[in-house]
Amino acid sequence: MINKVVSGADEAIRDIAEGDTLMLGGFGLCGIPENCINALVKKGVKELTCISNNAGIDDFGIGLLLKTRQVKKMISSYVGENSEFERQLLSGELEVELIPQGTLATRCLAAGYGMPAIFTPAGVGTEVAEGKETRSFNGKEYLMEYAFEADFALVKAWKGDTAGNLIFRSTSRNFNPVMATAGKITIAEVEHLVEAGELDPDQIHTPGVYVHRIFQGEHYEKRIEKRTVRPKE
Amino acid sequence: MINKVVSGADEAIRDIAEGDTLMLGGFGLCGIPENCINALVKKGVKELTCISNNAGIDDFGIGLLLKTRQVKKMISSYVGENSEFERQLLSGELEVELIPQGTLATRCLAAGYGMPAIFTPAGVGTEVAEGKETRSFNGKEYLMEYAFEADFALVKAWKGDTAGNLIFRSTSRNFNPVMATAGKITIAEVEHLVEAGELDPDQIHTPGVYVHRIFQGEHYEKRIEKRTVRPKE
Amino acid sequence: MLDKDGIARRIAKEIKDGYYVNLGIGIPTLVANYIPANLQVVLQSENGLLGMGPFPFEGEEDADLINAGKQTITTLPGSSIFDSALSFGMIRSQKIDLTILGAMEVSENGDIANWKIPGKMVKGMGGAMDLVASAKNIIVAMQHINKAGESKLLPKCTLPLTGVKCIKKVVTELAVLDILPEGGFKLLERAPGVSVAYIRSATLGKLYASDDVPEMQLD
Amino acid sequence: MLDKDGIARRIAKEIKDGYYVNLGIGIPTLVANYIPANLQVVLQSENGLLGMGPFPFEGEEDADLINAGKQTITTLPGSSIFDSALSFGMIRSQKIDLTILGAMEVSENGDIANWKIPGKMVKGMGGAMDLVASAKNIIVAMQHINKAGESKLLPKCTLPLTGVKCIKKVVTELAVLDILPEGGFKLLERAPGVSVAYIRSATLGKLYASDDVPEMQLD
């Protein structure tokens, strides 16, 4: 196998440069690449375009990159949990492109599957359709949407092996596998890094061929955005 | 959960009718729906269009349906292992549409993902492209290929639960998961049928929503087409 | 007149045995509480889960297990987890039998607006545009009139659209209405104690109503 | 002149450390036997496996574990299994560094024909059209001349095409040749004991060759 292990987040993101386009996995704060984000803050690289379903909260996730003004543009489906985000958006410091969540996921899929464009009905007849090509199939109208291009995809998995194979846990899977397939360079941080051969080949969610660098993350906070519980019976 | 269990192959395929289009999972003889095929032979339903990567061998797999003259048309990528197939093809009794293997898989994917068409470079400039729309993206030419429509998808999994969730084993996975997502009615036969809750939700390859009927198959032969071995050292 | 739970209770009656259902945020989430226990129903959460269970017991929250509203939840026996692309794949390929979501406005031709108010901070459409464009069966749970007393069932939406000609049924605090294929709201049921005349006055879009429209049964 | 194993040995020298490689049926399969042990190389089998290992020991065959040639095989530590759609997804998105396949004909502009002979039973293209249309780096392993003594390196293919302008390198029993972007075969190496003149006589397509083309080194 091909060994993809790097020493840590700093080495993994070493060549992310000003103006790069990044994909960041996660849904809300669930399954986000915490270590990579912290390393990006430390590195201070600016003018980033971030493709991510959400934009974190003020003091966690992509919110940290917003606070340090490293993000030029967000491409997301929902960004509502972040007051610093709102301030920068309203002041014009931050560019935002809102796209339907399924379109976001499928444009990642398209990149990973080598399909230059896909058709989706999401957004037909709305402002999302403005300037886009539409086309009818079997009497239903679809928008043509293009595959994303990202310089780097940053994903977070539960387990990974030295060959770059990834396994995700529960709903922290979300956008991570499709983004992992879509980056020109894909960086995976994992909670548990194991030797090649320790994972069952049948259970791997992301084959190692899609992962260029992998490292064991540290100090996972895994914050909960909306803690909802019921009393013990 | 919704219980998808039926008593066996006969009940599962009860409403497959003359002229229907079927998808059949498997690659060569690996991971084919043996029980469903045997039940179709018993039922004798004719004029079937079969979408399947291969066409079995003379006395196993789809070859059994060819012998009984139940197949009107094969849509496959490679059909070379079957002398009865060859005879029917040359005599004009059987219609065959050959399409690239990746196109076959991706047209199934498109159906399961609700995408009416996809773009692939496979076949550009060849006879496969005849009569098809081509389109350039970033200077590269692609064919537009349509999602398949199949009345039934017949797939074979290793384990399945009563809710229709499926887990495949090793390379018997092949076309099965994409075809499972693509049938109007999807029928899964499994080597091991377990109660809902016995499978780890993270390890499920095909979510139960895509599976309409499931049953425990019997007497799996799992024939090997090309036994290749090395001597014990 | 119904409260939010009343709307949810009424909508729950639309859920049939064997349905896969996607519940939006707000009133739709409450519907889960009223699905009859004897029905086999599976809830999809579009962040990648089929078989959403109740909130976890205190102390058993799992940061890796949330729903599309980012709430901590649980799985059920038979649940499955998948990625966001497959999740919207099954939505687009119409494997989800029923979608229930909220709206700011609905028009008499079935358009819906529920994601953006010009001049206000726009948070995004999330999965709503995908859901309304793909679902074969959508019920909107909404207030019939807004806080200013204006009808939200309109001849034409005034807010930016989420989807066009996609809504077939609306349940409000006042009524259950179908949207007719040829356009117009058809009054099917009145909320307890609400008159047809009142519903008519609260509906700006075209309303078709006989005088003997029955009252809802909520049992 | 090389035998089949010789062609495979020469091609194996093109494989670099860290490569993901897809090997077609026939001579390409033999290449696996000559990949230097010190290289980290992963073999993809397009039926859904990364990390193809050797044939199983006798008695350890597993009907569920085969390669794209339908032979029983094994996995290696770090292998992964996936479905056919993802398999061709990674091929189309050019995650496979090198594809090695056989051919009946190759033309001087990089066209390849390897799936169909008019008048003969046509078995199908399998994954070949996907591979040649997508791979960034393709090496063809083939015989320079057919059994009738005719060149298979042509100005233009006579057989139905598998792909157009996609082949960059050809290794035969006689030679290693690049196909130039502007068209034409450029002779890079001669098989041991084979003269440039002989290669020229065996190549019907345009051939560029200096008189001092080196002999292949096979180890």
Side-chain angles (χ1 to χ4, degrees), chain D residues 64-217:
Chain D
D64 288 340
L65 181 49
I66 63 171
N67 65 15
K70 291 158 196 155
Q71 298 170 310
T72 47
I73 47 153
T74 55
T75 58
L76 295 170
S79 281
S80 58
I81 303 280
F82 34 87
D83 65 45
S84 300
L86 186 59
S87 186
F88 284 93
M90 66 183 67
I91 287 168
R92 274 197 308 270
S93 65
Q94 307 200 315
K95 302 296 173 183
I96 306 302
D97 300 290
L98 176 62
T99 293
I100 303 170
L101 76 178
M104 299 169 183
E105 294 178 349
V106 167
S107 78
E108 64 189 34
N109 72 340
D111 295 352
I112 176 172
N114 72 351
W115 77 284
K116 185 175 182 178
I117 300 176
K120 280 204 180 182
M121 161 77 183
V122 181
K123 295 188 170 188
M125 66 292 278
M129 283 193 181
D130 306 276
L131 283 160
V132 299
S134 296
K136 53 188 167 190
N137 191 1
I138 305 173
I139 301 179
V140 165
M142 68 189 292
Q143 299 298 324
H144 212 108
I145 45 181
N146 66 17
K147 282 168 192 163
E150 297 160 340
S151 177
K152 298 165 75 175
L153 279 64
L154 303 172
K156 202 167 179 307
C157 291
T158 65
L159 296 170
L161 295 181
T162 307
V164 294
K165 291 184 192 165
C166 52
I167 307 303
K168 296 196 182 106
K169 193 179 280 283
V170 179
V171 179
T172 75
E173 77 280 19
L174 304 180
V176 178
L177 310 101
D178 267 358
I179 295 179
L180 298 172
E182 65 274 22
F185 297 98
K186 181 176 163 61
L187 182 61
L188 300 180
E189 299 173 20
R190 298 172 291 113
V194 175
S195 70
V196 171
Y198 185 72
I199 293 165
R200 195 175 290 281
S201 73
T203 306
L204 218 58
K206 198 180 302 170
L207 184 78
Y208 298 97
S210 64
D211 288 335
D212 56 352
V213 168
E215 208 168 80
M216 288 177 204
Q217 303 298 317

Side-chain angles (χ1 to χ4, degrees), chain A residues 45-232:
Chain A
V45 56
K46 289 195 188 295
E47 296 286 306
L48 300 172
T49 294
C50 293
I51 302 170
S52 179
N53 190 55
N54 311 93
I57 58 174
D58 277 327
D59 62 345
F60 201 59
I62 293 177
L64 299 172
L65 288 168
L66 290 164
K67 199 183 279 180
T68 47
R69 311 280 298 280
Q70 292 175 254
V71 181
K72 182 181 69 175
K73 181 175 180 182
M74 284 297 312
I75 299 175
S76 304
S77 88
Y78 195 82
V79 293
E81 334 281 12
N82 194 317
S83 65
E84 174 62 16
F85 182 97
E86 188 166 347
R87 195 198 60 71
Q88 290 185 24
L89 178 62
L90 295 175
S91 72
E93 293 163 67
L94 181 67
E95 220 180 310
V96 177
E97 185 181 342
L98 292 169
I99 63 181
Q101 193 176 142
T103 303
L104 186 72
T106 313
R107 290 175 68 186
C108 295
L109 180 90
Y113 278 71
M115 303 190 290
I118 54 98
F119 295 100
T120 175
V124 167
T126 76
E127 63 181 56
V128 164
E130 281 167 23
K132 288 178 185 159
E133 184 173 333
T134 63
R135 181 157 181 157
S136 274
F137 295 93
N138 302 316
K140 184 169 172 128
E141 208 175 339
Y142 294 81
L143 300 185
M144 193 171 80
E145 300 272 8
Y146 293 92
F148 278 125
E149 290 187 29
D151 300 299
F152 292 87
L154 312 180
V155 303
K156 188 260 171 184
W158 178 50
K159 282 188 181 175
D161 71 15
T162 53
N165 296 302
L166 304 180
I167 293 177
F168 302 92
R169 182 173 176 278
S170 200
T171 59
S172 73
R173 194 184 315 184
N174 56 64
F175 282 85
N176 282 298
V178 277
M179 289 184 169
T181 65
K184 273 178 218 149
I185 302 281
T186 290
I187 298 168
E189 58 174 85
V190 299
E191 287 184 60
H192 304 282
L193 181 62
V194 302
E195 289 298 315
E198 288 187 43
L199 303 179
D200 179 347
D202 284 338
Q203 289 175 18
I204 286 162
H205 296 127
T206 300
V209 67
Y210 283 113
V211 174
H212 301 81
R213 302 170 193 167
I214 189 168
F215 67 94
Q216 171 137 4
E218 288 174 347
H219 310 301
Y220 279 101
E221 260 193 72
K222 301 217 279 185
R223 276 205 220 170
I224 292 175
E225 203 162 341
K226 294 187 189 166
R227 187 178 306 270
T228 46
V229 296
R230 58 187 158 142
K232 287 211 175 172

Side-chain angles (χ1 to χ4, degrees), chain C residues 48-68:
Chain C
L49 170 64
L50 273 168
M52 182 164 57
F55 295 146
F57 290 121
E58 257 187 280
E60 296 179 5
E61 315 89 274
D62 179 347
D64 287 340
L65 181 49
I66 63 170
N67 64 16

Side-chain angles (χ1 to χ4, degrees), chain C residues 28-49:
Chain C
T29 303
L30 300 175
V31 173
N33 301 331
Y34 301 102
I35 300 173
N38 62 323
L39 296 190
Q40 295 185 354
V41 170
V42 176
L43 301 181
Q44 193 232 25
S45 192
E46 68 265 26
N47 58 319
L49 170 64

Side-chain angles (χ1 to χ4, degrees), chain B residues 1-5 159-165 167 190 192-201 204 214 216, chain C residues 40 76-79:
Chain B
M1 286 302 134
I2 300 165
N3 192 314
K4 309 290 181 76
V5 178
K159 282 189 180 176
D161 70 15
T162 54
N165 295 302
I167 294 179
V190 300
H192 304 281
L193 181 63
V194 302
E195 289 300 314
E198 288 188 44
L199 303 180
D200 180 345
I204 287 162
I214 189 168
Q216 171 138 3
Chain C
Q40 295 185 354
L76 295 171
S79 282

